[in-house]
Amino acid sequence: MKYDYEKFFEEKLKELANPPAGGDLILDVGGGTPFQKGMAKYRHIFEGRNFKTLDSAPEYKPDIVGDIHNLPLGDSSVGAILCKSVLEHLEDPARAVAEMRRILKPGGKALVYTHFIYPYHARRGVYKDYFRFTEDGLRHLFRHFKFVEIKKEGGYFRA
């Protein structure tokens, strides 16, 4: 049986897999190796789609090596963005959110997952662990997006 959050996440992934113009690029920002970070079970959702990963660490072999603070893509060039467990590792998450908004096409969607209550989890030499975000903090970061929907995962001790 899938938990409420798992259903929500899979439903939102299916929406990302069908961006406004069909063949649009779907970009997993900070995704490392394609379909890592618990994404392998959702690979089927993106079959036949223009799904690419972007990461700053070339050793993960992403499709695009780049920095989320300065995305190497043109304005309004991406139909959908997935950003899973990345914001907490960034020196300037507000700049990263602005960059995601810049590259999204009008009507494009972003699915962003981050932690609130979660142990420290940096990876020496690859990424640090800077932030945890409250619902208020997330609403502030995404205040320039047309629509923001927040779904909590976990209970009192893990959200």
Side-chain angles (χ1 to χ4, degrees):
M1 177 178 157
K2 291 185 181 181
Y3 296 106
D4 187 41
Y5 176 80
E6 290 174 340
K7 290 179 192 174
F8 172 86
F9 189 71
E10 186 170 335
E11 195 175 283
K12 296 304 174 182
L13 287 175
K14 288 176 182 176
E15 287 182 30
L16 289 187
N18 293 296
D24 283 348
L25 175 61
I26 303 162
L27 187 65
D28 184 352
V29 179
T33 303
F35 297 102
Q36 75 174 37
K37 293 168 45 173
M39 289 297 297
K41 65 184 174 183
Y42 302 113
R43 183 185 299 264
H44 68 280
I45 293 173
F46 297 98
E47 284 180 16
R49 304 288 194 257
N50 187 14
F51 183 89
K52 305 280 184 207
T53 57
L54 177 141
D55 203 279
S56 62
E59 61 268 25
Y60 289 137
K61 297 184 177 32
D63 299 299
I64 303 166
V65 175
D67 181 358
I68 192 172
H69 296 98
N70 188 21
L71 291 166
L73 296 155
D75 295 357
S76 303
S77 61
V78 175
I81 293 173
L82 172 63
C83 183
K84 188 171 190 279
S85 300
V86 175
L87 290 182
E88 67 270 19
H89 299 290
L90 303 176
E91 291 178 15
D92 190 350
R95 183 171 173 194
V97 169
E99 276 292 281
M100 287 189 276
R101 185 171 179 263
R102 179 187 65 77
I103 68 168
L104 265 179
K105 289 185 175 184
K109 294 183 178 187
L111 176 57
V112 180
Y113 174 104
T114 191
H115 304 289
F116 175 51
I117 299 173
Y118 199 81
Y120 178 81
H121 60 286
R123 183 167 175 213
R124 186 181 301 253
V126 181
Y127 52 80
K128 297 181 180 180
D129 189 359
Y130 293 103
F131 299 102
R132 297 297 180 267
F133 298 94
T134 63
E135 183 173 338
D136 291 336
L138 290 171
R139 289 197 185 282
H140 178 75
L141 277 175
F142 290 90
R143 69 192 178 278
H144 297 297
F145 280 66
K146 188 175 183 177
F147 177 75
V148 175
E149 179 180 17
I150 295 176
K151 178 72 171 173
K152 296 176 184 176
E153 176 192 15
Y156 185 75
F157 292 105
R158 183 171 185 263

